[in-house]
Each structure stands twice: as C-alpha cells, then as structure tokens.
Amino acid sequence: MIKKRMEDELNKQINAEFYSSYLYLSMAAYFEEKNLAGFSNWMNVQAQEEWAHGLKIFNFVNERGGSVKLMAIDAPKNEWNNIIEVFEDVYAHEQKITGLINSLIDVAIEEADHATKNFLQWFIDEQVEEEASVSTLLEQIKMIDGKGTGLFMLDRELGSRTFTALV
Ligand code: OFO
C-alpha cells in the first residue's frame, strides 16, 4: 500500500503530465494555423506521449492500492512570437519536468518506497531522451533561423513522426 505523501506527489505528477499534453496540443494548434503540418504533427505526437505518461502513473497508483485524484488542468500558453520561442519553451518545460521527477525520487527515497523509486527510473531515462531530442531540434531551428527553405525541409521531416504506445 502506498503512503499518503507519495500518493499525493504522484497525483500532482499525473496533473503535470496531463498539463504537458495540453501545452503541446496548444503548440500543435499554433503550428496548424501557421500551415506547418509537420511541426503540428510532431507536437501532436508529443501530446499523446505526455498523456500516456500521465496514464502510466495513474495505473501505477491504482496498482499500489492508492487513490487517483484528478485535478484541474491549467490553461496553457497559446501565442508565441516565433518558432524558436516555441522550442525554447518546450526545452524549458522538459527541464522543469525533469526537476519534478527528481523531486519525486527524493520523496520515494525519504519514504523508503523502493517500488515507486524503481517505477520512476523509467521516467528518469525518458527525460534524458526528451531533453536531448528537444535540444537538438532547438539547435537545428536556430541554425535555419526558424525560416526559409530550411524550415520547409524540417517541417517535412517532422511530419513523419508517429506515436508508439507505451508498453
Ligand atoms: Fe512526460 O515527459 Fe515530457 O514532459
């Protein structure tokens, strides 16, 4: 049975993951409006992944005999000055999420909750991957100054990203 403190913190993380999904969906809408279907697709896949992260924690809390408490999801930002700014926001957001996961592990250690600590390791690895891929993308967008033929080519490339369900 999971302890109350750990359960509360995991419930907050479910909310943070669902908020991430909302934020990326908002970015997908921004790109859709700009006729950048590839970028919009990339953000849509990102949004689906975040929803799956939230569900992964949701299932874990249930499995441990805890109670899932869903909270209101904050409205995400919906306007950006340019594409570089969007990806700077994504990168900053992922770094924030990494910090939240690290804090969750600190709580798991304090509570001697080895099962939760073990479960969260998956998220630690996932964050390393997410930060690396977003930082590469941000650098590439800066290289092409967020416009022109480079942007057109990158949009085509990002259009091929697909969502893979978590196991
Ligand atoms: Fe859930 O990994 Fe991004 O935020």
Side-chain angles (χ1 to χ4, degrees), residues 102-118:
N102 285 336
S103 304
L104 273 176
I105 295 211
D106 290 344
V107 174
I109 291 169
E110 281 165 29
E111 298 292 334
D113 186 341
H114 299 285
T116 301
K117 182 174 169 280
N118 196 34

Side-chain angles (χ1 to χ4, degrees), residues 24-41 43-44 77-80 83 86 151 155:
Y24 296 140
L25 206 52
S26 182
M27 289 171 174
Y30 167 87
F31 285 122
E32 203 57 51
E33 258 186 69
K34 299 257 173 285
N35 293 315
L36 289 165
F39 277 89
S40 177
N41 172 65
M43 285 297 175
N44 245 301
K77 183 171 166 180
N78 53 27
E79 278 196 37
W80 290 268
I83 296 176
V86 178
L151 182 65
D155 187 61

Side-chain angles (χ1 to χ4, degrees), residues 32-89:
E32 203 57 51
E33 258 186 69
K34 299 257 173 285
N35 293 315
L36 289 165
F39 277 89
S40 177
N41 172 65
W42 192 91
M43 285 297 175
N44 245 301
V45 172
Q46 192 73 7
Q48 289 178 72
E49 281 195 356
E50 298 301 350
W51 198 261
H53 293 170
L55 285 179
K56 195 175 172 79
I57 305 171
F58 177 106
N59 291 333
F60 178 75
V61 171
N62 279 328
E63 213 175 10
R64 297 281 312 283
S67 330
V68 169
K69 297 260 173 358
L70 294 179
M71 293 169 253
I73 303 171
D74 289 341
K77 183 171 166 180
N78 53 27
E79 278 196 37
W80 290 268
N81 290 317
N82 52 59
I83 296 176
I84 294 174
E85 195 183 288
V86 178
F87 277 86
E88 279 171 345
D89 276 8

Side-chain angles (χ1 to χ4, degrees), residues 6 15 18 33 35 40 43 48 62-63 67 76 79 87 94 97 103 118 121 133-135 139 142 145 149 151 158 166:
M6 195 76 251
N15 185 266
F18 287 165
E33 258 186 69
N35 293 315
S40 177
M43 285 297 175
Q48 289 178 72
N62 279 328
E63 213 175 10
S67 330
E79 278 196 37
F87 277 86
E94 286 305 327
I97 295 291
S103 304
N118 196 34
Q121 189 57 47
S133 74
V134 170
S135 140
E139 288 313 311
K142 282 182 179 167
D145 203 17
T149 316
L151 182 65
L158 297 183
L166 301 182

